[in-house]
Coordinates of all heavy atoms in Angstrom, one line a residue:
Chain A
P121 N -58.9 14.9 -52.3 CA -57.8 14.0 -52.2 C -56.5 14.7 -52.4 O -55.5 14.3 -51.7 CB -58.1 13.0 -53.3 CG -59.6 13.0 -53.5 CD -60.0 14.4 -53.2
E122 N -56.4 15.7 -53.2 CA -55.1 16.3 -53.5 C -54.6 17.0 -52.3 O -53.4 16.9 -51.9 CB -55.3 17.3 -54.7 CG -54.1 17.7 -55.4 CD -54.4 18.7 -56.5 OE1 -55.4 18.5 -57.2 OE2 -53.6 19.7 -56.7
Q123 N -55.5 17.8 -51.6 CA -55.1 18.6 -50.4 C -54.6 17.6 -49.3 O -53.8 18.0 -48.5 CB -56.2 19.5 -49.9 CG -56.4 20.7 -50.7 CD -57.0 20.4 -52.1 OE1 -57.8 19.5 -52.3 NE2 -56.5 21.2 -53.1
L124 N -55.1 16.4 -49.3 CA -54.8 15.5 -48.2 C -53.6 14.6 -48.6 O -53.2 13.7 -47.8 CB -56.0 14.6 -47.9 CG -57.2 15.3 -47.4 CD1 -58.4 14.3 -47.1 CD2 -57.0 16.3 -46.2
G125 N -53.0 14.9 -49.7 CA -51.8 14.2 -50.1 C -52.1 12.7 -50.4 O -51.2 11.8 -50.2
L126 N -53.2 12.4 -51.0 CA -53.6 11.0 -51.2 C -52.8 10.3 -52.3 O -52.7 9.1 -52.3 CB -55.1 10.8 -51.4 CG -55.9 11.2 -50.1 CD1 -57.4 10.8 -50.3 CD2 -55.3 10.6 -48.8
A127 N -52.2 11.1 -53.2 CA -51.3 10.5 -54.2 C -50.1 9.9 -53.5 O -49.7 8.8 -53.8 CB -50.9 11.6 -55.2
Q128 N -49.6 10.7 -52.6 CA -48.4 10.3 -51.8 C -48.8 9.0 -51.0 O -48.0 8.1 -50.8 CB -48.1 11.4 -50.9 CG -46.7 11.3 -50.2 CD -46.4 12.6 -49.4 OE1 -47.0 13.7 -49.6 NE2 -45.6 12.5 -48.4
F129 N -50.1 9.0 -50.4 CA -50.6 7.9 -49.6 C -50.6 6.6 -50.5 O -50.1 5.6 -50.1 CB -52.0 8.2 -49.1 CG -52.7 7.1 -48.4 CD1 -52.2 6.6 -47.2 CD2 -53.8 6.6 -49.0 CE1 -52.9 5.6 -46.6 CE2 -54.5 5.6 -48.3 CZ -54.0 5.1 -47.1
E130 N -51.1 6.8 -51.7 CA -51.2 5.6 -52.6 C -49.8 5.1 -53.0 O -49.6 3.9 -53.1 CB -52.0 5.9 -53.9 CG -53.5 6.0 -53.7 CD -54.3 5.7 -55.0 OE1 -54.3 4.6 -55.5 OE2 -54.9 6.7 -55.4
Q131 N -48.8 6.0 -53.2 CA -47.5 5.6 -53.4 C -47.0 4.6 -52.3 O -46.3 3.6 -52.6 CB -46.5 6.8 -53.5 CG -46.5 7.4 -54.9 CD -45.7 8.7 -54.9 OE1 -44.9 8.9 -54.0 NE2 -45.9 9.5 -55.9
L132 N -47.3 5.0 -51.1 CA -46.9 4.2 -49.9 C -47.5 2.8 -50.0 O -46.9 1.8 -49.8 CB -47.3 4.8 -48.6 CG -46.4 5.9 -48.1 CD1 -47.0 6.5 -46.8 CD2 -45.0 5.4 -47.8
L133 N -48.8 2.8 -50.4 CA -49.5 1.5 -50.5 C -48.9 0.6 -51.6 O -48.7 -0.6 -51.5 CB -51.0 1.7 -50.8 CG -51.8 2.5 -49.8 CD1 -53.3 2.4 -50.1 CD2 -51.5 2.1 -48.4
V134 N -48.5 1.3 -52.8 CA -48.0 0.6 -53.9 C -46.6 0.0 -53.6 O -46.2 -1.0 -54.1 CB -47.9 1.5 -55.1 CG1 -47.1 0.9 -56.3 CG2 -49.3 1.9 -55.6
A135 N -45.8 0.8 -52.7 CA -44.4 0.4 -52.5 C -44.3 -1.0 -51.9 O -43.2 -1.7 -52.0 CB -43.8 1.4 -51.5
G136 N -45.4 -1.6 -51.3 CA -45.4 -3.0 -51.0 C -45.1 -3.3 -49.5 O -45.3 -4.5 -49.1
E137 N -44.6 -2.3 -48.7 CA -44.3 -2.7 -47.4 C -45.6 -2.8 -46.5 O -45.6 -3.6 -45.5 CB -43.4 -1.6 -46.8 CG -41.9 -1.7 -47.2 CD -41.0 -0.8 -46.4 OE1 -41.3 0.4 -46.3 OE2 -40.0 -1.3 -45.9
V138 N -46.6 -2.0 -46.8 CA -47.8 -1.9 -45.9 C -48.6 -3.1 -46.1 O -48.9 -3.5 -47.3 CB -48.6 -0.6 -46.3 CG1 -49.8 -0.5 -45.4 CG2 -47.7 0.6 -46.1
R139 N -49.1 -3.7 -45.0 CA -50.0 -4.8 -45.1 C -51.4 -4.4 -44.6 O -52.4 -4.9 -45.1 CB -49.5 -6.0 -44.1 CG -48.3 -6.6 -44.5 CD -48.5 -7.7 -45.5 NE -47.2 -8.2 -46.0 CZ -46.5 -9.1 -45.3 NH1 -46.9 -9.6 -44.1 NH2 -45.4 -9.5 -45.8

Side-chain angles (χ1 to χ4, degrees):
Chain A
E122 199 178 322
Q123 283 68 36
L124 302 182
L126 294 192
Q128 197 177 334
F129 174 67
E130 282 203 71
Q131 276 174 18
L132 281 178
L133 302 191
V134 170
E137 282 191 309
V138 179
R139 293 276 174 79

